[in-house]
Amino acid sequence: MRKIIFAAAGFAIAATAFATATAAMSVQDVAAGTYVRRDNGEATLVVKRTSEHWRVSAAIGGVPNGAATVGDCGFIAEGTITGRAFEGKVTRVNIVADLDEEGDAAKPGLGLAFSVDNGAITIRGADAAAICGGGGSVIDGVYKRRSH
């Protein structure tokens, strides 16, 4: 009886350790890709791992409002993914075409945070006015994975 209990306990510990390691690895490994949001103006996030950190390039469309629709907003944020959460600083702004790295240096202190789960990125509480330079853009929302 003791051998069965010890074997079961050993299996449970090994399974828990494997699940924890796999969950941490899989979120970071699968975070890279292209994510799209279709409501509140179309938006795209391209998430890439660099040698030093994670880079998020964003193209945010203005909320549709006829002739009063604001122009697109583009920015780059760089940071880390720990568990299922990205924490980073916005480093470049005014990037629209082709998500290149030109644009302008961002004001110090602008941040971006989001969660990654089940093929989606969820952003809540992003300061769109500060990052995009005025009202009319929405960064918050659920972005669904489109590709790797």
Side-chain angles (χ1 to χ4, degrees):
M1 185 69 159
R2 282 186 162 184
K3 287 183 181 179
I4 294 171
I5 291 171
F6 288 132
F11 177 75
I13 291 169
T16 301
F18 177 76
T20 302
T22 302
M25 179 187 72
S26 64
V27 169
Q28 291 198 4
D29 288 344
V30 301
T34 300
Y35 297 80
V36 178
R37 183 197 72 201
R38 302 246 183 251
D39 58 341
N40 288 325
E42 283 201 25
T44 302
L45 302 177
V46 177
V47 180
K48 294 180 181 178
R49 176 84 168 128
T50 69
S51 61
E52 300 168 10
H53 52 263
W54 287 89
R55 172 172 286 155
V56 179
S57 300
I60 310 296
V63 176
N65 190 18
T69 301
V70 298
D72 292 347
C73 162
F75 63 90
I76 292 176
E78 296 173 305
T80 60
I81 294 178
T82 305
R84 297 183 183 275
F86 172 85
E87 291 285 332
K89 298 289 182 194
V90 177
T91 58
R92 308 294 294 173
V93 294
N94 297 326
I95 299 166
V96 179
D98 301 322
L99 296 177
D100 66 18
E101 297 179 26
E102 296 301 316
D104 304 312
K107 293 179 184 175
L110 292 178
L112 181 72
F114 58 75
S115 62
V116 181
D117 196 21
N118 294 325
I121 287 176
T122 303
I123 300 176
R124 299 280 178 248
D127 189 349
I131 295 171
C132 295
S137 293
V138 174
I139 298 170
D140 288 3
V142 177
Y143 296 73
K144 305 267 183 173
R145 174 183 293 283
R146 184 175 72 197
S147 66
H148 288 281

